[in-house]
Amino acid sequence: MHLFIATLSTETNTFSPMPTAMSGFEEFYLRQGTATQDAPNLMTEALHVWRRRAEALGWSVTESLAAIAEPAGLTVAATYAALKGELLADLDQAGADIILLQLHGAMVAEGVEDCEGDILAAMRERCPDAVIGVSLDLHCHLTEAMLNAADLIITFKEYPHDDAAPRAEEVFDLAHQMARREINPVMRMYDCRMLGLYLTKTPEMRDVIDEMQALEAQPGLLSISLAHGYPWADVADAGTRVLVISDGDPDLAATTAKQLGQAFFARRHTLSPSFPDLSTALDEAMAATDGPVVIADMGDNSGAGAPGDATFALRAVLDRGLTNVAAGMFWDPGALRICKDAGEGATLSLRLGGKVGPHSGDPLDIQGQVMRVASGLTQRLGDSREPMGTQVWLRLPGEIDIVINDLRTQVYHPEAFMQLGIPLATKRLVVVKSTFHFYSSFAKIAPTIIQAATPGGASPDVTLINYTRGGEKCWPLVENPSLA
């Protein structure tokens, strides 16, 4: 048995002015067949699982491209063509009995709205008899093109995504069984006509996942996925969808998907949380008696395609005269260069952030001391390690500690600050540029966490987003959209 494995991952904020070019992959993660020689990150965990499982069975393995870019705007056409071309060239040379891919599911390129469906269709054309299995981030756009080309599609169930490895194991198990003709997977999906963010650590979403997993144990059902959708994209297949894989029974798959999808829609008001605005969040934080209090600067989460250089939250902190605060990470390579050249211990004036566009706010003029410059540090996301580029800890008057870096990435873990020496445990307030991936790790050190609908390029309020391709027909923009 010959296994072909690869990953290509970025999620596209179609409203972002920042193109996703080859430099974005080169800066974040790009390997040609060697990803399993590195420590795993979120999107390469699957490759490690699949290689280990295949080699234990005595299979031969061709490991192709592993390309990951932080979310931004449309992928440049030449970049997409080059990455897709490399995948297909490797497949043409190697062939495969089983193809397993870790894709994202929300990649949009210039001229190609459904990159994953496009790649899968090209692979199916080349290998019509191969078993094709795909693991997707749950913030994906699930499309008919994907279902037509693949045999197996499974999404992460958890947000934060701490189940990448279990889902990879699931894909491998089903692909192996299919190759041995022990199962006959049939996929059907149901469009819930919903847009939103669903936080799987909340009791309401925990119930949904428990129900899905209980159904998976029933005879005839192989796998159930909930594709949350990626709300910061204006695409035809926007929104939440349920995907069910049955063993040779299309009616069972379709009926189960519809049942789950309609039940999910019926609970839409309790499943979709609301978030305070920045001013309210700061009021709540200052009223808390125990610290540190963590505020999530959700609107400037680079993991949702925002620039990561917005100044709204820090400006509000300074305008209020707050002290003993930590905030980060601010993506500003120019400001970082100045701090790095000045060196540790230097005191300087700096113009921070506000550079990419209106969603970044205005540049902020600050004065501070360079406390630490560090390169090559990583932060944990589940069992994976995620890069942070070069970081600078800059201390402003009033013990306001900010982290600046040159690699766009959200905050996942307190060590993004603490490895530099910033004493988070003694801070009154910590502002993190993230949406929810930070939550579990910060909850261990902070008694109060507030997710704020801050201004920026990734607002969690989908009613503020100008959809034109289909999202405008979904809840909550339409209270009662037509359901199938």
Side-chain angles (χ1 to χ4, degrees):
M1 194 71 69
H2 185 193
L3 174 66
F4 181 93
I5 60 176
T7 185
L8 175 57
S9 176
T10 189
E11 49 192 345
T12 303
N13 183 329
T14 63
F15 305 98
S16 172
M18 305 175 63
T20 302
M22 191 63 76
S23 60
F25 293 94
E26 292 168 345
E27 289 170 356
F28 200 88
Y29 194 86
L30 182 62
R31 303 289 188 274
Q32 276 83 15
T34 61
T36 55
Q37 298 175 29
D38 298 338
N41 60 46
L42 175 63
M43 285 295 176
T44 64
E45 280 190 77
L47 304 186
H48 287 260
V49 169
W50 296 336
R51 177 176 282 281
R52 172 178 53 78
R53 293 287 303 274
E55 290 177 346
L57 292 168
W59 298 359
S60 59
V61 178
T62 294
E63 181 178 339
S64 181
L65 183 69
I68 308 165
E70 185 74 355
L74 294 179
T75 301
V76 175
T79 297
Y80 175 63
L83 295 172
K84 175 187 173 184
E86 184 171 340
L87 286 171
L88 297 180
D90 287 350
L91 183 60
D92 286 340
Q93 182 175 2
D97 300 304
I98 299 177
I99 299 169
L100 297 182
L101 304 174
Q102 174 66 72
L103 304 176
H104 188 282
M107 181 179 183
V108 183
E110 295 171 335
V112 183
E113 188 170 280
D114 176 14
C115 292
E116 288 84 359
D118 181 56
I119 289 167
L120 289 168
M123 289 189 167
R124 174 58 72 196
E125 182 178 2
R126 284 164 168 76
C127 300
D129 299 321
V131 174
I132 300 180
V134 186
S135 176
L136 296 177
D137 188 301
L138 56 76
H139 293 121
C140 60
H141 312 300
L142 203 57
T143 71
E144 290 288 354
M146 295 181 197
L147 270 65
N148 290 336
D151 297 296
L152 299 159
I153 297 176
I154 291 171
T155 73
F156 301 158
K157 283 184 168 66
E158 300 289 349
Y159 178 43
H161 309 320
D162 49 18
D163 65 333
R167 299 288 74 76
E169 298 275 7
E170 183 181 355
V171 171
F172 189 95
D173 287 339
L174 293 178
H176 188 196
Q177 293 174 57
M178 185 179 178
R180 293 189 297 185
R181 302 183 184 278
E182 296 173 354
I183 59 172
N184 176 29
V186 175
M187 295 190 291
R188 294 292 185 270
M189 71 174 173
Y190 181 82
D191 186 353
C192 302
R193 302 284 178 159
M194 291 172 63
L195 296 164
L197 290 173
Y198 318 115
L199 312 179
T200 65
K201 306 307 181 187
T202 62
E204 296 82 6
M205 276 302 299
R206 193 74 257 153
D207 289 343
V208 171
I209 294 174
D210 290 344
E211 291 163 11
M212 290 166 55
Q213 292 177 323
L215 277 172
E216 286 176 326
Q218 293 190 6
L221 294 175
L222 301 175
S223 178
I224 299 174
S225 295
L226 178 68
H228 294 201
Y230 187 64
W232 300 284
D234 192 19
V235 296
D237 292 289
T240 306
R241 299 182 178 192
V242 176
L243 174 64
V244 174
I245 308 177
S246 73
D247 188 3
D249 190 337
D251 291 337
L252 177 62
T255 299
T256 304
K258 182 176 182 179
Q259 177 186 28
L260 284 171
Q262 291 186 343
F264 192 80
F265 181 82
R267 298 153 82 174
R268 61 195 180 281
H269 293 287
T270 58
L271 293 172
S272 299
S274 60
F275 305 103
D277 62 20
L278 176 57
S279 179
T280 303
L282 286 170
D283 289 342
E284 293 177 6
M286 293 305 98
T289 55
D290 295 327
V293 176
V294 174
I295 290 180
D297 183 3
M298 299 174 74
D300 196 36
N301 172 22
S302 66
D309 74 335
T311 56
F312 300 106
L314 181 57
R315 184 180 296 277
V317 165
L318 296 176
D319 287 347
R320 287 186 179 223
L322 303 183
T323 59
N324 198 17
V325 177
M329 292 184 285
F330 292 86
W331 177 68
D332 193 330
L336 181 137
R337 171 67 180 272
I338 293 170
C339 293
K340 183 179 177 181
D341 288 350
E344 293 181 2
T347 299
L348 45 76
S349 297
L350 194 67
R351 178 159 283 190
L352 178 69
K355 295 180 174 64
V356 172
H359 286 311
S360 299
D362 295 325
L364 189 60
D365 291 321
I366 55 177
Q367 290 183 325
Q369 183 178 16
V370 179
M371 306 295 291
R372 177 87 188 277
V373 179
S375 296
L377 299 178
T378 61
Q379 58 178 331
R380 275 172 281 180
L381 175 59
D383 294 329
S384 68
R385 304 294 309 191
E386 301 295 317
M388 295 186 290
T390 298
Q391 296 171 278
V392 163
W393 166 16
L394 188 68
R395 170 160 284 183
L396 280 56
E399 295 190 33
I400 296 177
D401 296 322
I402 66 172
V403 178
I404 307 168
N405 76 332
D406 62 358
L407 179 67
R408 288 179 60 250
T409 186
Q410 64 182 295
V411 173
Y412 295 119
H413 196 278
E415 61 195 0
F417 297 87
M418 296 172 69
Q419 286 181 107
L420 295 172
I422 298 174
L424 289 191
T426 63
K427 289 295 179 184
R428 183 183 187 191
L429 175 65
V430 181
V431 180
V432 298
K433 290 184 179 293
S434 189
T435 297
F436 197 57
H437 280 303
F438 75 96
Y439 197 97
S440 297
S441 58
F442 276 83
K444 297 175 182 177
I445 67 166
T448 302
I449 294 178
I450 304 168
Q451 292 171 271
T454 53
S459 170
D461 185 352
V462 299
T463 64
L464 301 177
I465 300 175
N466 183 28
Y467 299 103
T468 63
R469 300 273 295 132
E472 72 279 6
K473 300 176 183 177
C474 296
W475 182 87
L477 284 83
V478 176
E479 179 57 33
N480 292 297
S482 59
L483 299 177

